[in-house]
Amino acid sequence: MGYRVVVVGATGNVGREMLNILAEREFPADEVAAVASARSTGDEIDFGDSGKLLKVRNIEHFDWTGWDMALFAAGSEVSKAYAPKAAAAGCTVIDNSSYYRMDPDVPLIVPEVNAHAIAGYAKKNIIANPNCSTAQMVVALKPLHDFATIKRVVVATYQSVSGAGKQGMDELFEQSRNIFVGDANEPVKFTKQIAFNVIPHIDAFLDDGSTKEEWKMVVETKKILDPRIKVTATCVRVPVFVGHSEAINIEFENEISAKDARRILRESPGIMLVDKREDGGYVTPVEAVGEYATYVSRVREDPTVENGLSLWCVSDNLRKGAALNAVQIAELLGRKHLQKAA
């Protein structure tokens, strides 16, 4: 007997990717419902490459009774309005928005990092999926932290436009085309031109001069990995369609060499180490698209601090940063707690 699974926001970038990954990984689902806003009701959407088409249902009239899990990928306002209704009906919510991440009664889960914390889901019947840039970073940090204890992390992100949804991807495409043909090129989704440019601004500015995206990386890393770790982040939008990259500098309490780090990373779950000190011996976002792994390259010692390392981390933000992590949480939930599927 399999699970009955709902994907909310099924017509968006992340929702479609959730459906793809559920199909790819042959998640034990007896039934999958694609749910979205009223404007998409009745549309048909592919269930990955399975050959099945799902008819989109209206979230406003959806009956959550009898459904086991709901993967939400429709933004904070939708999660705020509908996640409690689903949870109250006995349907466990796995929420990709930021709304519940810092709720002390909601576990924030990256399965390779803090799988044990999922047990806390029963308090609200809701589990939070972390920010895309946080998810890949903590996968890379976890095994190194276990070995040498991280004191401080300084990270600069290079985040693709797909993190801003379909509008962000469309804007990069249209601006690039307009520049080549000499047409007008006014930004709409982003605050400045994104084509052939980088923008050091993701989400709203806070009083201390940081942005909300940077704040998320700080507080989510502490909640997922270790509250004692100091984190400072600079988050930058770059003209890449899919795939987030991060330059990460790490200071440890204990001694760790680059050789140690490469050995540890090579053996760690969810990580693919590609670190050849030669032309092309590293991973870029283009190679990460469509892949499950979090890629780590450019591992080297930082001689400017005691017990310091620098590394380069790349992942498909629509997958490990969002949809894949949500499906992995669903797999973990089923395996450890619901235990319905044979």
Side-chain angles (χ1 to χ4, degrees):
M1 186 178 182
Y3 297 100
R4 300 182 75 218
V5 180
V6 185
V7 175
V8 178
T11 57
N13 285 344
V14 174
R16 287 176 185 272
E17 203 63 33
M18 285 175 172
L19 291 171
N20 289 340
I21 293 170
L22 285 167
E24 277 177 27
R25 292 172 74 92
E26 298 181 342
F27 187 85
D30 283 350
E31 186 177 358
V32 177
V35 172
S37 63
R39 66 178 176 271
S40 300
T41 303
D43 291 352
E44 290 189 327
I45 188 169
D46 289 319
F47 181 45
D49 293 328
S50 68
K52 297 178 185 175
L53 288 174
L54 304 177
K55 187 164 284 190
V56 178
R57 309 191 202 184
N58 186 347
I59 193 169
E60 294 171 25
H61 308 303
F62 189 76
D63 182 0
W64 303 97
T65 308
W67 294 88
D68 298 300
M69 305 177 194
L71 281 59
F72 272 65
S76 292
E77 290 304 311
V78 172
S79 295
K80 179 182 178 181
Y82 293 99
K85 295 179 181 179
C91 177
T92 303
V93 171
I94 300 167
D95 182 32
N96 194 60
S97 83
S98 62
Y99 189 74
Y100 290 102
R101 288 177 192 158
M102 299 315 297
D103 185 324
D105 291 331
V106 174
L108 181 63
I109 301 296
V110 176
E112 298 93 333
V113 179
N114 64 336
H116 63 280
I118 199 172
Y121 87 96
K123 290 180 181 177
K124 287 193 173 179
N125 210 20
I126 298 172
I127 303 162
N129 208 22
N131 186 40
C132 47
S133 48
T134 305
Q136 69 185 68
M137 185 172 77
V138 296
V139 169
L141 294 181
K142 165 66 172 171
L144 301 176
H145 183 55
D146 288 346
F147 181 83
T149 310
I150 295 171
K151 290 170 60 177
R152 181 172 183 255
V153 175
V154 180
V155 57
T157 70
Y158 306 77
Q159 294 178 227
S160 66
V161 294
S162 57
K166 184 177 182 296
Q167 284 180 295
M169 298 178 78
D170 289 346
E171 186 151 318
L172 173 57
F173 177 82
E174 289 164 10
Q175 283 187 355
S176 300
R177 182 186 58 194
N178 291 348
I179 287 168
F180 279 118
V181 300
D183 286 350
N185 192 28
E186 291 301 312
V188 178
K189 176 66 177 176
F190 299 112
T191 54
K192 295 199 176 191
Q193 174 185 313
I194 185 59
F196 308 99
N197 197 20
V198 298
I199 305 172
H201 173 195
I202 302 176
D203 213 324
F205 275 99
L206 305 178
D207 290 343
D208 66 355
S210 64
T211 64
K212 195 172 180 184
E213 184 81 359
E214 292 156 357
W215 173 83
K216 288 175 193 173
M217 290 196 75
V218 174
V219 296
E220 291 177 19
T221 299
K222 288 174 176 288
K223 182 172 179 178
I224 296 166
L225 191 54
D226 190 329
R228 298 168 296 178
I229 295 175
K230 295 178 180 179
V231 182
T232 182
T234 301
C235 294
V236 182
R237 190 73 72 191
V238 297
V240 170
F241 283 106
V242 178
H244 288 357
S245 306
E246 297 170 349
I248 308 173
N249 180 266
I250 315 161
E251 186 178 352
F252 296 87
E253 287 185 14
N254 304 308
E255 186 175 347
I256 182 172
S257 67
K259 184 179 180 181
D260 289 332
R262 283 193 292 271
R263 173 182 55 78
I264 293 161
L265 293 165
R266 193 177 290 115
E267 298 169 354
S268 298
I271 294 171
M272 182 71 72
L273 180 72
V274 180
D275 190 20
K276 299 177 182 176
R277 296 177 177 182
E278 59 187 41
D279 292 354
Y282 41 80
V283 172
T284 63
V286 170
E287 290 100 55
V289 173
E291 300 293 332
Y292 289 152
T294 295
Y295 291 89
V296 177
S297 307
R298 301 291 321 280
V299 180
R300 60 210 188 274
E301 289 158 23
D302 175 4
T304 68
V305 294
E306 191 173 1
N307 305 324
L309 288 178
S310 292
L311 55 83
W312 175 251
C313 178
V314 179
S315 188
D316 182 330
N317 56 295
L318 299 180
R319 291 205 150 207
K320 186 55 191 171
L324 172 62
N325 201 71
V327 174
Q328 287 177 307
I329 292 171
E331 292 169 345
L332 179 65
L333 178 69
R335 192 165 62 246
K336 295 291 187 183
H337 297 281
L338 301 186
Q339 299 176 342
K340 182 175 177 181

